[in-house]
């Protein structure tokens, strides 16, 4: 039996760790590893068209499965392309192992062709980033990297020069057991005692939930029932906590809706459950706050805390539920539920009623029809920008659907490559990429990856020929929009030219039929929907500064001869502006 080389040993360890695919673009420094993958039937090489897509795909697969995934880039420019997707995976706490191949080991530090130092470059977006400078470091270094990625839920980077990858692996190398899952963390008794005391002393308690409530839905509902608490959520908490939730008061933040803002500000005690909610301006500064999080470094970094509790949400609630006193008074809960219902009736549904003849099509209407027609277990991957808004407000979670986006990193162009990773986990599960025209165009080359592997991803393209969220940000800042328009092709024709199903929709009456046809198609499909560029996201709470910004923008546009646009904008958004 021929002796293994380092690349073969590397691939074998990935297989032992449960990795089924290695996403990347081939290159000379990667050749030994790619060849080792070719000869190992337990793992596949997924050839994407851009390494950024490889990292996004790996991150999405990790979020869907909860297991370690992997991506790779060749030396220099190749692995540099990984960095944006790795930042996203790391901030999403997705366990990803990235292989950054390196120039010949004897040339490092001498300004060689394509020389970079990836072990340094990736430090900020990883828990572990190290260079293999000798075969003797294998397999211990790779095993350590895997345990960092899995144990700390994030990215590890291994840099491997191509010449070392081709060298013989060390004989009798130790193969220790690999960590492939995380333990649960129970909070200390003193913290549980203090949290019980705070809850029992408060008349009005609100729960605000994030992605850390995954797997704790039943416990959160039981806890809310016992203490009569409304439940708000952050965007990453939506898929885990909004469904089957009779205590739901919506979402807070820039994409928010409903009564979550009021519920978090009018309570006596706010309990943050598994959320690292980034917008501290939406959090109160005059109520008591307790935070429960499995990541101790997240505790208190967004707001002043009266109590920090280090533990899993589910384990913490299992400690609390038997001990807190049941509250009998529902007045605060019922008041927040009514406010939430009124807000939904008057704001969120405004664009989805009586808009069947509106041209260009309201994007909210598109999202509402998509929500009705998609499967009960669909994975939605969502582009950053206005697609985040439409998904947050109109895609209905049910405990089986998944909604994945660049919700912490906020990168453009994430939806399509994330859909690739999501679809590889299960070809029979419906995967829908909710793409904006700007994001789709940025990594459009990887639509060819769908065709190459016949992945049945359905791209629903919200095509408003603009960078809508950036335009909104300019308006709020008191600036006229500039540099935000896109001159787009017929994306449906592009899809057909690539060998996929493509349809273009310009009238609302054609929307449902086009989506149904795309969903029935066995392979990849794209539905290019021309949407209203004047439809804006109106936050649930508008400050004086924001109103000033819109007024100033309006005057500037009028002075520039753009009065028609402002009239259209007013018509598009008048019903959505919350009343003072």
């Amino acid at each position: 039996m021929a002796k293994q080389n380092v690349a073969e040993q590397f691939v074998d360890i990935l297989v032992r760790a449960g990795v089924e695919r290695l996403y990347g673009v081939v290159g000379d420094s990667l050749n030994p590893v790619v060849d080792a993958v070719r000869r190992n039937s337990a793992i596949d090489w997924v050839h994407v068209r851009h390494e950024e897509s490889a990292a996004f795909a790996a991150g999405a697969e990790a979020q869907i499965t909860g297991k370690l995934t992997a991506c790779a880039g060749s030396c220099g420019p190749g692995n540099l392309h990984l960095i944006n997707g790795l930042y996203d995976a790391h901030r999403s706490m997705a366990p990803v192992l990235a292989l950054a191949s390196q120039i010949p080991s004897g040339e490092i530090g001498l300004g060689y062709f394509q020389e970079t130092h990836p072990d340094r470059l990736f430090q900020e977006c990883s828990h572990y980033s190290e260079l293999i400078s000798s075969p003797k470091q294998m397999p211990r270094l790779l095993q350590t990297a895997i345990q960092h990625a899995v144990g700390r839920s994030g990215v590890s980077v291994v840099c491997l020069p191509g010449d070392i990858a081709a060298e013989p692996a060390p004989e009798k190398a130790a193969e220790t057991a690999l960590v492939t899952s995380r333990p649960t963390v129970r909070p200390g008794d003193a913290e549980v005692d203090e949290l019980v005391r705070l809850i029992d002393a408060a008349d009005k308690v609100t729960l605000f939930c994030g992605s850390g409530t995954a797997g704790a839905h039943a416990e959160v509902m039981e806890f809310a029932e016992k203490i009569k608490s409304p439940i708000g959520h952050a965007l990453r908490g939506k898929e885990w906590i909004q469904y089957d939730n009779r205590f739901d008061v919506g979402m807070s933040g820039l994409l928010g809706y409903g009564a979550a803002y009021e519920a978090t500000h009018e309570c006596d005690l706010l309990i943050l459950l598994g959320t690292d909610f980034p917008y501290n301006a939406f959090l109160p500064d005059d109520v008591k706050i307790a935070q429960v999080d499995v990541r101790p470094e997240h505790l208190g970094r967004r707001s002043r805390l009266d109590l920090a509790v280090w533990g899993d949400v589910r384990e913490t609630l299992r400690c609390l539920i038997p001990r807190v006193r049941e509250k009998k008074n529902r007045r605060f809960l019922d008041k927040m539920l009514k406010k939430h219902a009124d807000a939904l009736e008057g704001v969120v549904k405004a664009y989805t009623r009586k808009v069947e003849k509106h041209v260009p099509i309201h994007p909210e209407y598109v999202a509402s029809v998509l929500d009705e027609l998609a499967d009960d277990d669909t994975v939605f991957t969502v582009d950053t920008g206005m697609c985040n808004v439409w998904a947050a407000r109109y895609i209905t979670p049910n405990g089986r659907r998944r909604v994945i986006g660049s919700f912490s990193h906020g990168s453009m162009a994430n939806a399509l490559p994330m859909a690739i990773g999501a679809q590889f986990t299960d070809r029979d599960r419906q995967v829908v990429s909710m793409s904006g025209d700007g994001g789709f165009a940025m990594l459009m080359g990887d639509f060819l990856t769908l065709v190459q592997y016949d992945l049945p991803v359905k791209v629903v393209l919200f095509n408003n020929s603009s960078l809508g969220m950036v335009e909104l940000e300019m308006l709020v800042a008191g600036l006229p929009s500039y540099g935000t328009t896109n001159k787009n092709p017929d994306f449906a024709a592009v899809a057909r030219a690539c060998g996929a199903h493509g349809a273009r929709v310009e009238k609302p009456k054609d929307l449902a039929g086009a989506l149904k046809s795309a969903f029935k198609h066995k392979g990849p499909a794209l539905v290019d929907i021309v949407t209203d560029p004047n439809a804006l996201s109106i936050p649930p709470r508008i400050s004086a500064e924001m109103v000033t910004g819109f007024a100033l923008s309006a005057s500037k546009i009028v002075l520039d001869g753009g009065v028609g646009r402002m009239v259209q904008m007013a018509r598009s958004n008048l019903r959505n502006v919350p009343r003072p």
Side-chain angles (χ1 to χ4, degrees):
M1 181 177 177
K3 186 176 180 179
Q4 275 193 324
N5 63 21
V6 170
E8 291 167 331
Q9 187 181 59
F10 189 100
V11 171
D12 279 354
I13 293 171
L14 290 185
V15 170
R16 285 180 51 221
V19 174
E20 298 179 24
R21 280 164 287 276
L22 190 56
Y23 299 90
V25 178
V26 298
D28 56 355
S29 58
L30 268 178
N31 285 346
V33 174
V34 174
D35 190 61
V37 171
R38 178 184 65 83
R39 290 181 283 106
N40 191 319
S41 62
I43 189 170
D44 293 320
W45 178 265
V46 178
H47 168 44
V48 296
R49 302 308 173 99
H50 195 294
E51 289 92 348
E52 183 177 351
S53 295
F56 273 126
E61 180 182 332
Q63 290 182 69
I64 293 292
T65 64
K67 299 177 181 178
L68 182 73
T69 60
C71 57
S74 59
C75 63
N79 61 57
L80 281 178
H81 284 159
L82 294 170
I83 198 164
N84 193 46
L86 292 183
Y87 260 99
D88 182 82
H90 194 56
R91 299 189 68 182
S92 299
M93 296 184 287
V96 174
L97 188 287
L99 168 59
S101 68
Q102 180 57 298
I103 63 172
S105 57
E107 301 292 343
I108 295 174
L110 299 174
Y112 191 73
F113 176 64
Q114 294 187 323
E115 180 173 3
T116 60
H117 294 87
D119 51 315
R120 304 177 198 171
L121 290 166
F122 291 104
Q123 284 182 353
E124 191 174 313
C125 63
S126 67
H127 292 303
Y128 185 86
S129 182
E130 291 291 347
L131 170 70
I132 295 179
S133 55
S134 166
K136 294 178 181 179
Q137 292 173 271
M138 281 288 287
R140 289 182 299 153
L141 190 145
L142 178 56
Q143 291 169 339
T144 300
I146 289 170
Q147 288 167 189
H148 273 79
V150 174
R152 300 184 65 183
S153 294
V155 170
S156 283
V157 179
V158 174
C159 308
L160 179 62
D163 60 315
I164 292 179
E167 289 186 19
E171 295 181 2
K172 299 181 180 179
E175 289 193 1
T176 59
L178 292 170
V179 171
T180 56
S181 62
R182 287 170 54 85
T184 57
V185 179
R186 181 196 182 282
D189 291 337
E191 286 74 25
V192 174
D193 291 343
E194 180 61 14
L195 187 51
V196 169
R197 187 191 68 77
L198 287 174
I199 295 167
D200 286 347
D203 293 326
K204 300 177 292 184
V205 182
T206 293
L207 305 179
F208 188 70
C209 301
S211 60
T213 58
H217 185 275
E219 287 80 4
V220 174
M221 297 305 120
E222 185 179 358
F223 185 54
E225 172 63 45
K226 193 163 187 180
I227 64 173
K228 306 300 182 286
S229 170
I231 301 175
H233 60 267
L235 178 56
R236 290 190 66 200
K238 175 184 173 74
E239 62 177 331
W240 305 115
I241 213 68
Q242 189 185 37
Y243 70 96
D244 295 340
N245 182 354
R246 62 186 184 277
F247 309 99
D248 180 45
V249 292
M251 189 170 79
S252 191
L254 295 172
L255 311 186
Y257 57 85
Y261 184 92
E262 288 82 356
T264 57
H265 283 71
E266 297 179 22
C267 59
D268 300 321
L269 174 64
L270 174 62
I271 304 178
L272 306 175
L273 293 177
T275 179
D276 193 33
F277 184 69
Y279 302 108
N280 55 12
F282 287 86
L283 294 174
D285 55 12
D286 57 352
V287 303
K288 290 186 175 180
I289 301 178
Q291 183 179 359
V292 179
D293 206 294
V294 74
R295 288 279 185 92
E297 66 270 24
H298 290 178
L299 294 169
R301 73 175 182 177
R302 306 300 187 195
S303 62
R304 172 199 53 77
L305 294 183
D306 294 274
L307 181 64
V309 180
W310 181 11
D312 295 326
V313 170
R314 185 169 63 175
E315 292 301 314
T316 302
L317 293 183
R318 286 176 173 176
C319 294
L320 288 174
I321 291 170
R323 297 189 53 189
V324 296
R325 289 199 301 267
E326 183 171 3
K327 298 185 186 297
K328 303 297 183 183
N329 190 330
R330 288 183 53 101
R331 282 197 296 271
F332 176 62
L333 171 59
D334 291 340
K335 176 184 176 183
M336 292 300 113
L337 291 175
K338 185 178 187 306
K339 281 190 174 184
H340 181 60
D342 291 344
L344 288 180
E345 196 62 37
V347 179
V348 178
K349 294 182 180 178
Y351 277 131
T352 61
R353 293 195 301 262
K354 301 179 181 179
V355 293
E356 291 82 359
K357 297 182 179 180
H358 182 89
V359 177
I361 303 169
H362 274 312
E364 295 88 338
Y365 179 66
V366 177
S368 67
V369 174
L370 174 61
D371 182 55
E372 292 175 6
L373 296 180
D375 291 346
D376 289 340
D377 65 346
T378 296
V379 177
F380 297 91
T381 60
V382 184
D383 259 342
T384 297
M386 300 307 291
C387 284
N388 268 199
V389 182
W390 316 141
R393 296 186 179 182
Y394 295 99
I395 298 302
T396 306
N398 57 13
R400 298 174 61 200
R401 286 177 166 180
R402 295 297 311 272
V403 181
I404 295 175
S406 186
F407 299 143
S408 296
H409 186 50
S411 174
M412 282 183 66
N414 61 285
L416 173 63
M418 283 182 166
I420 292 170
Q423 192 72 82
F424 265 115
T425 67
D426 186 348
R427 286 179 172 270
D428 295 326
R429 187 176 187 181
Q430 187 179 75
V431 176
V432 173
S433 172
M434 294 178 64
S435 297
D437 57 291
F440 179 77
M442 186 176 283
L443 286 177
M444 186 166 59
D446 269 295
F447 189 79
L448 296 171
T449 302
L450 302 183
V451 177
Q452 180 158 332
Y453 290 96
D454 197 29
L455 293 173
V457 170
K458 314 306 177 189
V459 178
V460 177
L461 188 60
F462 290 70
N463 183 2
N464 62 6
S465 296
S466 72
L467 303 178
M469 182 63 80
V470 178
E471 189 165 302
L472 174 62
E473 291 165 350
M474 288 180 170
L475 291 172
V476 170
L479 303 170
S481 60
Y482 181 76
T484 58
T485 57
N486 297 324
K487 185 176 181 180
N488 291 326
D490 181 337
F491 286 111
V494 172
R496 291 193 294 272
C498 293
H501 174 92
R504 185 173 172 91
V505 179
E506 298 180 354
K507 296 179 180 179
K509 65 182 180 67
D510 299 326
L511 176 62
L515 290 176
K516 289 177 182 177
S517 296
F519 290 164
K520 288 180 181 177
H521 183 70
K522 298 298 184 183
L526 181 146
V527 182
D528 181 8
I529 305 166
V530 180
T531 59
D532 186 357
N534 298 308
L536 298 178
S537 161
I538 304 298
R541 196 169 181 87
I542 299 178
S543 68
E545 291 80 8
M546 293 179 72
V547 172
T548 301
F550 273 95
L552 182 59
S553 296
S555 64
K556 287 182 179 179
I557 291 175
V558 169
L559 289 174
D560 287 341
V563 65
R565 177 172 171 76
M566 291 309 301
V567 171
Q568 294 171 357
M569 191 177 297
R571 288 173 178 168
S572 295
N573 293 284
L574 182 62
R575 292 173 295 170
N576 255 22
V577 177
R579 303 303 181 193

